[in-house]
Amino acid sequence: MIRIELTADDLLRSRFALSPTFELDGLLRALSGLSRVRLPTGLAARARPVYRRLLAETDLPAILALQSAHRGANFLAPPPRTLAQTWDDELEAVRAAPPDAVRADIEECLARRPARAPAVLAVLGADDVQDRLARTLDRAWRELLAPEWLRLRAICERDVLHRAGRLGRAGWAAAFEDLHRQVRWKDGGLEIVRRSGGRQVVTADGRGLLLVPSVFVWPGVAVHTDDPWPRALVYPTRGSAALWHHAPPSPEALGDLLGRSRAQLLTALDEPASTTQLAHGLGLALGAVGDHLAVLRRAGLVDRARSGRSVLYRRTPLAEALLAGAE
Protein backbone atom coordinates (compact mmCIF):
# COMPACT_ATOMS: atom_id res chain seq x y z
CA MET A 1 0.00 0.00 0.00
CA ILE A 2 1.11 3.53 -0.76
CA ARG A 3 -0.19 6.30 1.49
CA ILE A 4 0.20 9.97 0.58
CA GLU A 5 -0.21 12.23 3.62
CA LEU A 6 -1.96 15.49 2.72
CA THR A 7 -2.17 18.54 4.96
CA ALA A 8 -4.74 21.30 4.59
CA ASP A 9 -2.12 23.36 2.70
CA ASP A 10 -1.49 20.40 0.39
CA LEU A 11 -5.18 20.19 -0.45
CA LEU A 12 -5.18 23.91 -1.25
CA ARG A 13 -2.39 23.26 -3.76
CA SER A 14 -3.87 20.05 -5.21
CA ARG A 15 -5.02 20.28 -8.81
CA PHE A 16 -5.98 18.42 -11.96
CA ALA A 17 -3.82 18.29 -15.09
CA LEU A 18 -3.65 16.44 -18.42
CA SER A 19 -0.54 14.65 -19.69
CA PRO A 20 -0.23 13.97 -23.45
CA THR A 21 3.09 12.17 -22.88
CA PHE A 22 1.53 9.86 -20.31
CA GLU A 23 -1.22 8.96 -22.78
CA LEU A 24 1.34 8.24 -25.49
CA ASP A 25 3.35 6.17 -23.03
CA GLY A 26 0.21 4.21 -22.16
CA LEU A 27 -0.61 3.53 -25.80
CA LEU A 28 2.96 2.38 -26.54
CA ARG A 29 2.87 0.09 -23.50
CA ALA A 30 -0.39 -1.45 -24.71
CA LEU A 31 0.95 -1.97 -28.24
CA SER A 32 4.20 -3.51 -26.95
CA GLY A 33 2.47 -5.83 -24.48
CA LEU A 34 3.97 -4.21 -21.39
CA SER A 35 0.56 -3.25 -19.98
CA ARG A 36 -2.75 -5.06 -19.48
CA VAL A 37 -4.75 -2.44 -21.40
CA ARG A 38 -6.87 -4.07 -24.10
CA LEU A 39 -7.21 -1.58 -26.92
CA PRO A 40 -10.55 -1.13 -28.68
CA THR A 41 -10.67 -3.14 -31.90
CA GLY A 42 -10.82 -0.14 -34.21
CA LEU A 43 -7.92 1.65 -32.55
CA ALA A 44 -5.79 -1.49 -32.44
CA ALA A 45 -6.38 -2.21 -36.14
CA ARG A 46 -5.29 1.31 -37.08
CA ALA A 47 -2.40 1.61 -34.64
CA ARG A 48 -0.61 -1.74 -34.95
CA PRO A 49 0.68 -1.28 -38.53
CA VAL A 50 1.87 2.22 -37.63
CA TYR A 51 3.56 0.86 -34.51
CA ARG A 52 5.40 -1.82 -36.51
CA ARG A 53 6.59 0.80 -38.99
CA LEU A 54 7.84 3.03 -36.19
CA LEU A 55 9.76 0.10 -34.69
CA ALA A 56 11.53 -0.40 -38.02
CA GLU A 57 12.13 3.23 -38.99
CA THR A 58 12.80 5.08 -35.72
CA ASP A 59 14.54 4.75 -32.36
CA LEU A 60 11.34 3.49 -30.74
CA PRO A 61 13.03 0.20 -29.63
CA ALA A 62 15.38 2.31 -27.49
CA ILE A 63 12.42 4.06 -25.83
CA LEU A 64 10.74 0.72 -25.12
CA ALA A 65 14.01 -0.63 -23.66
CA LEU A 66 13.71 1.98 -20.91
CA GLN A 67 10.28 0.67 -19.88
CA SER A 68 9.51 -2.05 -17.37
CA ALA A 69 6.21 -3.38 -16.08
CA HIS A 70 5.61 -0.54 -13.61
CA ARG A 71 8.30 2.05 -14.31
CA GLY A 72 9.74 4.13 -17.13
CA ALA A 73 12.22 6.90 -17.80
CA ASN A 74 11.21 10.04 -15.89
CA PHE A 75 12.62 12.43 -18.49
CA LEU A 76 10.38 10.92 -21.21
CA ALA A 77 7.21 11.66 -19.21
CA PRO A 78 7.59 15.09 -17.56
CA PRO A 79 4.91 16.06 -15.04
CA PRO A 80 2.10 18.15 -16.57
CA ARG A 81 1.45 21.60 -15.15
CA THR A 82 -2.13 22.43 -16.19
CA LEU A 83 -5.28 21.17 -17.88
CA ALA A 84 -4.23 23.20 -20.93
CA GLN A 85 -1.03 21.21 -21.42
CA THR A 86 -0.20 20.66 -25.10
CA TRP A 87 2.02 18.13 -26.83
CA ASP A 88 4.48 20.88 -27.78
CA ASP A 89 4.70 21.95 -24.11
CA GLU A 90 5.63 18.45 -23.03
CA LEU A 91 8.03 17.81 -25.91
CA GLU A 92 9.85 21.01 -24.97
CA ALA A 93 10.13 19.72 -21.39
CA VAL A 94 11.63 16.44 -22.66
CA ARG A 95 14.24 18.34 -24.66
CA ALA A 96 15.00 20.67 -21.72
CA ALA A 97 15.72 17.91 -19.19
CA PRO A 98 19.25 18.27 -17.69
CA PRO A 99 21.65 15.95 -19.58
CA ASP A 100 23.18 14.58 -16.37
CA ALA A 101 19.72 13.66 -15.09
CA VAL A 102 18.88 12.03 -18.43
CA ARG A 103 22.04 9.91 -18.32
CA ALA A 104 21.35 8.84 -14.71
CA ASP A 105 17.74 8.03 -15.63
CA ILE A 106 18.87 5.83 -18.53
CA GLU A 107 21.38 3.99 -16.34
CA GLU A 108 18.75 3.33 -13.68
CA CYS A 109 16.28 1.97 -16.26
CA LEU A 110 18.91 -0.34 -17.78
CA ALA A 111 19.91 -1.60 -14.35
CA ARG A 112 16.28 -2.48 -13.69
CA ARG A 113 15.74 -4.14 -17.10
CA PRO A 114 19.01 -4.72 -19.00
CA ALA A 115 19.02 -4.23 -22.77
CA ARG A 116 21.14 -6.45 -25.00
CA ALA A 117 20.42 -5.36 -28.58
CA PRO A 118 23.55 -3.59 -29.92
CA ALA A 119 21.48 -1.09 -31.93
CA VAL A 120 19.49 -0.12 -28.83
CA LEU A 121 22.60 0.24 -26.67
CA ALA A 122 24.22 2.38 -29.37
CA VAL A 123 21.27 4.80 -29.32
CA LEU A 124 21.12 4.98 -25.52
CA GLY A 125 24.87 5.58 -25.33
CA ALA A 126 24.94 8.28 -28.01
CA ASP A 127 25.80 11.89 -27.12
CA ASP A 128 22.59 13.08 -28.82
CA VAL A 129 20.34 10.44 -27.23
CA GLN A 130 17.98 13.05 -25.76
CA ASP A 131 17.34 14.69 -29.12
CA ARG A 132 16.96 11.36 -30.91
CA LEU A 133 14.40 10.06 -28.44
CA ALA A 134 12.50 13.37 -28.50
CA ARG A 135 12.27 13.17 -32.31
CA THR A 136 10.98 9.61 -32.06
CA LEU A 137 8.36 10.57 -29.49
CA ASP A 138 7.22 13.44 -31.71
CA ARG A 139 6.75 11.16 -34.70
CA ALA A 140 4.97 8.52 -32.60
CA TRP A 141 2.63 11.18 -31.26
CA ARG A 142 1.75 12.59 -34.66
CA GLU A 143 1.21 9.22 -36.30
CA LEU A 144 -0.37 7.26 -33.44
CA LEU A 145 -2.21 9.57 -31.05
CA ALA A 146 -2.63 13.05 -32.51
CA PRO A 147 -5.67 11.97 -34.62
CA GLU A 148 -7.42 10.87 -31.39
CA TRP A 149 -6.27 13.68 -29.10
CA LEU A 150 -9.28 16.02 -29.38
CA ARG A 151 -11.67 13.27 -28.33
CA LEU A 152 -9.26 12.06 -25.65
CA ARG A 153 -8.95 15.56 -24.21
CA ALA A 154 -12.73 16.03 -24.28
CA ILE A 155 -13.43 12.85 -22.32
CA CYS A 156 -10.73 13.69 -19.74
CA GLU A 157 -12.08 17.23 -19.34
CA ARG A 158 -15.56 15.85 -18.69
CA ASP A 159 -14.12 13.71 -15.92
CA VAL A 160 -12.45 16.76 -14.34
CA LEU A 161 -15.69 18.77 -14.54
CA HIS A 162 -17.53 15.94 -12.81
CA ARG A 163 -15.01 15.79 -9.98
CA ALA A 164 -14.80 19.56 -9.67
CA GLY A 165 -18.57 19.56 -9.18
CA ARG A 166 -18.31 16.97 -6.42
CA LEU A 167 -15.46 18.92 -4.86
CA GLY A 168 -17.55 22.09 -4.83
CA ARG A 169 -20.57 20.34 -3.32
CA ALA A 170 -18.93 18.09 -0.73
CA GLY A 171 -15.15 18.63 -0.55
CA TRP A 172 -12.09 16.59 -1.45
CA ALA A 173 -13.30 13.37 0.18
CA ALA A 174 -16.20 13.30 -2.30
CA ALA A 175 -13.91 14.11 -5.24
CA PHE A 176 -11.65 11.17 -4.28
CA GLU A 177 -14.54 8.80 -3.57
CA ASP A 178 -14.85 6.97 -6.89
CA LEU A 179 -11.42 7.54 -8.44
CA HIS A 180 -10.67 3.81 -8.44
CA ARG A 181 -11.48 0.71 -6.40
CA GLN A 182 -7.87 0.67 -5.14
CA VAL A 183 -7.98 4.31 -3.97
CA ARG A 184 -9.51 5.55 -0.72
CA TRP A 185 -9.39 8.63 1.48
CA LYS A 186 -8.63 7.78 5.10
CA ASP A 187 -7.57 9.84 8.11
CA GLY A 188 -6.03 12.76 6.23
CA GLY A 189 -4.34 10.80 3.47
CA LEU A 190 -4.92 9.11 0.15
CA GLU A 191 -4.25 5.37 0.20
CA ILE A 192 -3.57 3.27 -2.90
CA VAL A 193 -4.03 -0.40 -2.06
CA ARG A 194 -1.71 -2.84 -3.84
CA ARG A 195 -1.18 -6.57 -3.49
CA SER A 196 2.61 -6.35 -3.17
CA GLY A 197 5.38 -3.90 -2.38
CA GLY A 198 4.79 -3.51 1.35
CA ARG A 199 3.68 -0.24 2.92
CA GLN A 200 5.11 3.11 1.79
CA VAL A 201 4.13 6.39 3.43
CA VAL A 202 5.10 9.69 1.81
CA THR A 203 4.16 13.31 2.38
CA ALA A 204 3.23 15.83 -0.29
CA ASP A 205 6.00 18.19 0.90
CA GLY A 206 3.74 21.22 0.62
CA ARG A 207 3.38 20.82 -3.16
CA GLY A 208 -0.10 19.32 -3.10
CA LEU A 209 -1.36 16.35 -5.08
CA LEU A 210 -1.50 16.20 -8.88
CA LEU A 211 -4.52 14.31 -10.24
CA VAL A 212 -4.25 13.19 -13.86
CA PRO A 213 -7.16 11.47 -15.64
CA SER A 214 -6.04 8.94 -18.24
CA VAL A 215 -7.60 6.61 -20.78
CA PHE A 216 -4.69 4.19 -21.10
CA VAL A 217 -3.95 3.59 -17.42
CA TRP A 218 -7.07 1.40 -17.08
CA PRO A 219 -7.62 -1.06 -15.39
CA GLY A 220 -5.10 0.12 -12.80
CA VAL A 221 -3.77 3.38 -11.40
CA ALA A 222 -0.29 4.90 -11.48
CA VAL A 223 1.34 6.66 -8.55
CA HIS A 224 4.33 9.02 -8.79
CA THR A 225 6.28 9.59 -5.60
CA ASP A 226 9.73 10.37 -7.06
CA ASP A 227 11.12 13.60 -8.48
CA PRO A 228 10.72 15.37 -10.86
CA TRP A 229 7.00 14.67 -10.43
CA PRO A 230 5.12 16.07 -7.45
CA ARG A 231 3.07 13.45 -5.62
CA ALA A 232 0.70 12.40 -8.36
CA LEU A 233 -2.08 9.93 -9.02
CA VAL A 234 -2.94 8.95 -12.58
CA TYR A 235 -6.39 7.35 -12.60
CA PRO A 236 -8.79 5.93 -15.24
CA THR A 237 -11.08 8.62 -16.58
CA ARG A 238 -14.82 8.00 -16.28
CA GLY A 239 -16.55 6.85 -19.46
CA SER A 240 -13.35 6.29 -21.42
CA ALA A 241 -15.16 3.89 -23.77
CA ALA A 242 -16.87 6.95 -25.23
CA LEU A 243 -13.49 8.10 -26.54
CA TRP A 244 -13.34 5.40 -29.20
CA HIS A 245 -17.02 4.89 -29.92
CA HIS A 246 -19.88 7.19 -30.74
CA ALA A 247 -22.66 7.49 -28.20
CA PRO A 248 -25.00 4.47 -28.11
CA PRO A 249 -27.86 4.66 -30.59
CA SER A 250 -30.71 6.73 -29.26
CA PRO A 251 -34.14 5.13 -29.00
CA GLU A 252 -35.71 4.92 -32.45
CA ALA A 253 -38.90 6.68 -31.43
CA LEU A 254 -36.93 9.59 -29.95
CA GLY A 255 -35.00 9.92 -33.21
CA ASP A 256 -38.25 10.01 -35.16
CA LEU A 257 -39.54 12.78 -32.89
CA LEU A 258 -36.48 14.99 -32.55
CA GLY A 259 -34.23 13.98 -35.42
CA ARG A 260 -31.25 11.64 -35.13
CA SER A 261 -28.61 14.23 -34.18
CA ARG A 262 -30.76 15.92 -31.51
CA ALA A 263 -31.68 12.53 -30.07
CA GLN A 264 -27.97 11.63 -29.94
CA LEU A 265 -27.16 14.88 -28.16
CA LEU A 266 -29.87 14.35 -25.60
CA THR A 267 -28.72 10.78 -24.99
CA ALA A 268 -25.08 11.90 -24.65
CA LEU A 269 -25.95 14.45 -21.94
CA ASP A 270 -26.01 11.89 -19.16
CA GLU A 271 -23.50 14.30 -17.59
CA PRO A 272 -23.12 18.06 -18.21
CA ALA A 273 -20.95 18.84 -21.24
CA SER A 274 -19.88 21.76 -23.41
CA THR A 275 -20.58 22.11 -27.12
CA THR A 276 -16.93 21.32 -27.87
CA GLN A 277 -16.98 18.12 -25.82
CA LEU A 278 -20.22 16.99 -27.45
CA ALA A 279 -18.93 17.75 -30.94
CA HIS A 280 -15.74 15.75 -30.37
CA GLY A 281 -17.53 12.87 -28.69
CA LEU A 282 -20.22 12.51 -31.35
CA GLY A 283 -18.21 13.45 -34.41
CA LEU A 284 -20.51 16.38 -35.26
CA ALA A 285 -19.64 19.86 -36.48
CA LEU A 286 -19.35 22.41 -33.67
CA GLY A 287 -21.81 24.80 -35.33
CA ALA A 288 -24.36 22.03 -35.84
CA VAL A 289 -24.14 21.04 -32.17
CA GLY A 290 -24.75 24.66 -31.13
CA ASP A 291 -27.79 24.92 -33.41
CA HIS A 292 -29.29 21.65 -32.16
CA LEU A 293 -28.72 22.60 -28.51
CA ALA A 294 -30.46 25.93 -29.11
CA VAL A 295 -33.52 24.09 -30.43
CA LEU A 296 -33.50 21.64 -27.53
CA ARG A 297 -33.18 24.52 -25.08
CA ARG A 298 -36.17 26.37 -26.58
CA ALA A 299 -38.15 23.15 -26.27
CA GLY A 300 -37.29 22.93 -22.56
CA LEU A 301 -35.24 19.74 -22.94
CA VAL A 302 -31.83 21.16 -21.94
CA ASP A 303 -30.63 24.07 -19.85
CA ARG A 304 -27.18 25.54 -19.42
CA ALA A 305 -24.90 27.02 -16.77
CA ARG A 306 -21.43 28.52 -16.79
CA SER A 307 -18.56 26.58 -15.16
CA GLY A 308 -15.33 28.59 -15.30
CA ARG A 309 -14.69 29.38 -18.95
CA SER A 310 -17.09 26.72 -20.23
CA VAL A 311 -20.85 26.74 -20.72
CA LEU A 312 -22.21 23.33 -19.80
CA TYR A 313 -25.49 21.88 -21.04
CA ARG A 314 -27.55 19.37 -19.13
CA ARG A 315 -30.84 17.54 -19.54
CA THR A 316 -33.94 18.92 -17.84
CA PRO A 317 -36.42 16.77 -15.89
CA LEU A 318 -38.69 16.91 -18.96
CA ALA A 319 -35.90 15.39 -21.08
CA GLU A 320 -35.26 12.68 -18.47
CA ALA A 321 -38.93 11.74 -18.57
CA LEU A 322 -38.92 11.76 -22.38
CA LEU A 323 -35.87 9.47 -22.51
CA ALA A 324 -37.35 7.11 -19.93
CA GLY A 325 -40.56 6.84 -21.94
CA ALA A 326 -38.71 6.27 -25.21
CA GLU A 327 -36.62 3.49 -23.70
Side-chain angles (χ1 to χ4, degrees):
M1 184 190 77
I2 299 175
R3 177 178 170 84
I4 304 174
E5 302 277 2
L6 296 166
T7 66
D9 284 344
D10 287 319
L11 289 175
L12 286 174
R13 293 177 173 86
S14 295
R15 64 200 184 279
F16 292 91
L18 295 181
S19 176
T21 53
F22 192 92
E23 295 304 280
L24 178 61
D25 178 82
L27 178 56
L28 291 174
R29 283 174 172 273
L31 290 168
S32 68
L34 274 171
S35 79
R36 295 177 293 162
V37 173
R38 183 171 296 176
L39 297 174
T41 302
L43 175 63
R46 184 187 69 77
R48 290 195 188 283
V50 178
Y51 173 75
R52 288 193 291 268
R53 186 174 69 250
L54 292 171
L55 282 175
E57 298 177 358
T58 72
D59 291 324
L60 183 57
I63 289 176
L64 297 176
L66 298 178
Q67 306 281 16
S68 58
H70 303 292
R71 299 288 295 271
N74 285 327
F75 78 96
L76 293 179
R81 295 184 296 275
T82 70
L83 285 171
Q85 197 87 353
T86 68
W87 172 250
D88 288 338
D89 292 335
E90 297 210 329
L91 191 63
E92 182 181 350
V94 171
R95 294 184 186 279
D100 289 345
V102 170
R103 182 56 56 194
D105 208 355
I106 291 173
E107 291 174 359
E108 182 180 345
C109 291
L110 293 179
R112 189 164 51 241
R113 182 172 176 249
R116 295 180 175 84
V120 166
L121 293 174
V123 172
L124 295 179
D127 292 338
D128 62 345
V129 59
Q130 195 168 343
D131 185 58
R132 292 178 66 167
L133 297 188
R135 288 201 308 269
T136 297
L137 284 177
D138 193 36
R139 181 171 169 186
W141 168 265
R142 297 187 189 285
E143 296 189 22
L144 280 172
L145 201 52
E148 311 289 352
W149 179 240
L150 289 179
R151 286 196 289 168
L152 187 155
R153 177 181 285 280
I155 201 72
C156 289
E157 286 176 343
R158 287 187 73 171
D159 178 276
V160 172
L161 287 171
H162 165 77
R163 298 190 189 285
R166 298 191 69 166
L167 173 62
R169 291 190 299 271
W172 276 107
F176 291 142
E177 189 175 53
D178 63 344
L179 281 171
H180 192 270
R181 59 184 173 79
Q182 293 175 238
V183 178
R184 66 190 181 196
W185 174 259
K186 184 178 179 181
D187 300 330
L190 200 65
E191 296 182 346
I192 300 91
V193 180
R194 291 184 166 177
R195 294 179 181 177
S196 60
R199 178 181 171 88
Q200 178 186 7
V201 180
V202 297
T203 63
D205 296 331
R207 294 186 290 173
L209 180 68
L210 188 65
L211 294 161
V212 184
S214 169
V215 173
F216 294 111
V217 75
W218 185 90
V221 292
V223 186
H224 288 270
T225 59
D226 300 327
D227 292 333
W229 282 66
R231 307 303 186 223
L233 178 72
V234 185
Y235 64 90
T237 184
R238 302 172 74 252
S240 58
L243 177 62
W244 311 120
H245 304 285
H246 292 315
S250 52
E252 184 177 347
L254 190 62
D256 293 340
L257 176 66
L258 300 175
R260 182 173 178 273
S261 294
R262 290 172 192 164
Q264 279 189 316
L265 282 168
L266 209 58
T267 304
L269 283 171
D270 54 341
E271 295 176 8
S274 69
T275 54
T276 301
Q277 292 164 345
L278 290 166
H280 291 159
L282 296 173
L284 298 173
L286 188 61
V289 169
D291 292 342
H292 289 316
L293 287 172
V295 172
L296 292 172
R297 186 165 177 256
R298 289 199 302 272
L301 296 175
V302 301
D303 57 22
R304 64 185 184 182
R306 180 167 291 280
S307 176
R309 297 181 179 180
S310 299
V311 174
L312 303 183
Y313 290 83
R314 68 193 73 208
R315 292 195 296 244
T316 64
L318 175 61
E320 298 288 357
L322 187 63
L323 277 170
E327 291 170 355

